Amino acid sequence: MIRLSNAEENYLKVIYALTQEGLERINNQSIADKLVINPASVTDMLRRLDEKRLIDYSRSAGAQLTKDGFKLAAKTVRKHRLWETFLVEKLNFTWDEVHDVAEQLEHIQSDKLLDEIDKLLGHPKFDPHGDPIPDANGKLSRINASPLAEIPEGVKVKVISVGDNTTAFLRYLDKQGISLNGTITVKEIQAFDQSVLVEVKGKKEVFLSAEACKKIFVTK
Amino acid sequence: MIRLSNAEENYLKVIYALTQEGLERINNQSIADKLVINPASVTDMLRRLDEKRLIDYSRSAGAQLTKDGFKLAAKTVRKHRLWETFLVEKLNFTWDEVHDVAEQLEHIQSDKLLDEIDKLLGHPKFDPHGDPIPDANGKLSRINASPLAEIPEGVKVKVISVGDNTTAFLRYLDKQGISLNGTITVKEIQAFDQSVLVEVKGKKEVFLSAEACKKIFVTK
DNA sequence: TTATTGATTTAGTCTAAACTAAATAAATTT
DNA sequence: AAATTTATTTAGTTTAGACTAAATCAATAA
């Protein structure tokens, strides 16, 4: 197997993520935004990844993962999410503490380590943020979830995943009593700003901003 | 706390190790040998580490860890050895499989991670090779051990640690039936090459080369 | 003491991965 | 269609951390 640098893995991961998000064309700017780097740097790297046949890249078509690139990207994401799960399940981390550490751990090169962690955790399908963990072939379990922002008044739903893994957002959810698999009932959508009054776990009522509601994914 | 690069941590670790080995003067050449890099590169890095007040460096006196440098080096060693212990204790690694992975894991930056691993393992004092794990203050448990090469004929000893963590050496020991805490009786020291005939665990007799005997540390 | 050997440093080069500023190309708005 | 905005690329720079070759310094041996 090819040995990639951390930077290369991070680029592949971002292209993978943007692809999952359904972007029609992965352009340099969006990659630069995600990685918080200069677009000029992206041009360089995309050319190198194209050289290595990990992506197909052209100015007009943007970047697309090749078969090899997809496999490597999925593996990095798999590692990231397995490590996050491990940290929460085995080492008393909370869901808002795991992202940054997993960003480092995902670059550790050891198939045995990955397999043993997976085994220890019982081959989990979802990470602590509800994101699916790619299996060894890169295949994802999918759950059909909608953003809370699209749920009409009166409907009771279950929280399936969150679309923002930053400490700030997750602590905000903690404060509101919102956690994975918890239930939420939409009480009142405010017409003027799309914020939503919800009942959390059948108890307290809280307001969630429209922004927050786009990042909370739920199902019936 | 200061954030060091992996390379910087590796240099500090090597200086720490050479200091432990009792070298009177840590010179550029010995560092270059351990890291398998060019001595000219060492000069560069030692100056940078001196700049950062992690070592005191001069051509005549060589390199010495400062208080800060020592703390950081000990922490890296602590991480390395805790990870090795974790891999063996929790993830079914064998003692010959852990070194390279721990070389990567030792650079992960997360105090919580380190503390939780330590807690999970029950605050171990020694790693799978019998090397002492520095505590949070850099303090080492010491066991007075001698190389097997210095044990006279007829004496029965216990294996305490090994001075070479390479896969090759450890597999060799496995083959001979030698493991940590196992007993060895010195039967016959060969005059012509200092190789030693030993009885392992009161059963089979094997020959150990003089080289090997320098790397096996034992106690009575 | 001089010669030899070995260690260290200097000077210049290389690579990966970033940067800035300017130029060009493409897309959108007027 | 022209003007403006946005995206991309070019060209040149930077930094860390390595390299080589040559020069210098220090220690040891003849």
Side-chain angles (χ1 to χ4, degrees):
Chain A
M1 259 270 158
I2 325 143
R3 253 318 296 285
L4 299 187
S5 69
N6 288 11
E8 288 170 326
E9 289 188 347
N10 287 336
Y11 274 86
L12 293 182
K13 211 177 42 147
V14 164
I15 297 167
Y16 177 96
L18 292 170
T19 307
Q20 297 289 311
E21 283 174 28
L23 240 76
E24 72 299 342
R25 200 182 90 92
I26 313 292
N27 61 345
N28 297 19
Q29 190 59 54
S30 57
I31 294 171
D33 288 347
K34 281 244 179 187
L35 290 171
V36 196
I37 58 176
N38 193 293
S41 311
V42 175
T43 305
D44 272 17
M45 179 59 103
L46 293 187
R47 279 214 263 261
R48 263 176 283 148
L49 291 174
D50 186 282
E51 285 275 313
K52 295 189 177 186
R53 316 251 107 260
L54 298 172
I55 64 171
D56 289 320
Y57 176 64
S58 71
R59 183 172 196 152
S60 50
Q64 255 113 55
L65 294 170
T66 62
K67 201 118 198 176
D68 282 354
F70 175 84
K71 272 161 78 173
L72 290 169
K75 184 169 185 174
T76 304
V77 171
R78 172 171 166 75
K79 285 198 274 185
H80 183 100
R81 292 181 181 168
L82 275 175
W83 276 115
E84 286 194 340
T85 308
F86 171 78
L87 293 174
V88 168
E89 295 291 318
K90 303 294 177 185
L91 296 185
N92 307 307
F93 278 63
T94 53
W95 70 344
D96 59 296
E97 293 175 324
V98 295
H99 182 78
D100 292 351
V101 189
E103 284 288 302
Q104 299 177 61
L105 286 163
E106 74 191 8
H107 301 296
I108 302 292
Q109 307 276 316
S110 167
D111 287 343
K112 167 147 189 157
L113 179 55
L114 188 62
D115 292 346
E116 289 290 338
I117 291 275
D118 185 42
K119 190 164 44 146
L120 182 69
L121 297 171
H123 312 290
K125 297 259 178 296
F126 298 94
D127 77 12
H129 309 113
D131 291 317
I133 300 172
D135 72 14
N137 303 311
K139 238 189 140 46
L140 291 175
S141 297
R142 259 281 146 243
I143 281 186
N144 72 317
S146 325
L148 182 57
E150 290 174 10
I151 305 300
E153 290 181 353
V155 178
K156 185 175 168 184
V157 293
K158 186 164 85 156
V159 178
I160 286 300
S161 68
V162 292
D164 179 347
N165 297 345
T166 59
T167 302
F169 181 64
L170 296 169
R171 292 238 175 107
Y172 165 83
L173 293 185
D174 284 341
K175 287 238 173 65
Q176 308 285 7
I178 291 171
S179 61
L180 244 46
N181 297 312
T183 58
I184 291 180
T185 308
V186 176
K187 306 298 273 191
E188 235 181 71
I189 300 170
Q190 309 302 309
F192 68 103
D193 69 350
Q194 309 306 311
S195 73
V196 179
L197 179 66
V198 300
E199 184 184 293
V200 179
K201 286 179 178 155
K203 288 188 297 206
K204 73 171 173 176
E205 294 196 340
V206 296
F207 275 103
L208 298 175
S209 71
E211 273 314 298
C213 290
K214 285 184 205 153
K215 297 167 160 186
I216 300 170
F217 295 92
V218 300
T219 184
K220 274 151 209 172
Chain B
M1 258 272 160
I2 326 142
R3 253 317 297 284
L4 299 187
S5 69
N6 288 11
E8 289 171 324
E9 289 188 346
N10 287 337
Y11 273 87
L12 292 183
K13 210 176 42 148
V14 164
I15 297 168
Y16 178 96
L18 292 170
T19 307
Q20 297 287 310
E21 284 175 27
L23 239 76
E24 71 300 343
R25 201 182 90 92
I26 313 292
N27 61 344
N28 296 22
Q29 190 59 55
S30 57
I31 295 171
D33 289 348
K34 281 246 181 187
L35 291 171
V36 195
I37 58 176
N38 193 292
S41 312
V42 176
T43 304
D44 272 17
M45 180 58 102
L46 293 187
R47 280 213 262 261
R48 263 176 283 148
L49 292 173
D50 185 282
E51 284 276 313
K52 295 190 177 185
R53 317 253 105 256
L54 298 172
I55 63 170
D56 290 320
Y57 177 64
S58 71
R59 183 172 197 155
S60 51
Q64 255 113 55
L65 294 169
T66 62
K67 201 120 197 172
D68 282 353
F70 175 83
K71 272 161 78 174
L72 291 168
K75 185 169 185 174
T76 303
V77 171
R78 172 171 165 75
K79 284 198 273 184
H80 182 100
R81 294 182 180 166
L82 276 174
W83 275 115
E84 286 195 341
T85 307
F86 171 77
L87 293 174
V88 167
E89 296 290 318
K90 302 294 177 187
L91 295 186
N92 308 307
F93 278 63
T94 52
W95 70 343
D96 59 295
E97 292 175 323
V98 295
H99 182 77
D100 292 351
V101 189
E103 284 289 302
Q104 300 176 61
L105 288 163
E106 73 190 8
H107 301 296
I108 303 291
Q109 308 274 315
S110 166
D111 287 343
K112 167 147 188 158
L113 179 55
L114 187 62
D115 292 346
E116 290 290 338
I117 291 274
D118 185 43
K119 190 164 42 146
L120 183 69
L121 296 171
H123 312 289
K125 297 260 178 296
F126 296 93
D127 76 12
H129 307 114
D131 291 318
I133 300 171
D135 70 15
N137 302 310
K139 237 186 141 47
L140 291 175
S141 296
R142 258 282 148 237
I143 280 185
N144 72 317
S146 325
L148 182 56
E150 290 174 10
I151 305 299
E153 289 181 353
V155 179
K156 186 175 168 182
V157 293
K158 188 165 85 157
V159 178
I160 286 301
S161 69
V162 292
D164 179 346
N165 297 346
T166 61
T167 302
F169 181 64
L170 296 169
R171 292 236 175 110
Y172 165 83
L173 294 185
D174 285 342
K175 286 238 173 66
Q176 307 285 9
I178 292 171
S179 61
L180 245 45
N181 298 311
T183 57
I184 290 181
T185 310
V186 176
K187 305 299 273 190
E188 234 181 70
I189 301 170
Q190 308 302 308
F192 69 102
D193 70 349
Q194 309 304 312
S195 73
V196 179
L197 178 66
V198 300
E199 185 185 293
V200 179
K201 285 176 179 159
K203 287 187 298 203
K204 74 171 172 176
E205 293 197 340
V206 297
F207 275 103
L208 298 176
S209 71
E211 272 316 298
C213 290
K214 285 184 203 152
K215 296 165 158 186
I216 300 170
F217 294 92
V218 300
T219 184
K220 275 149 208 176

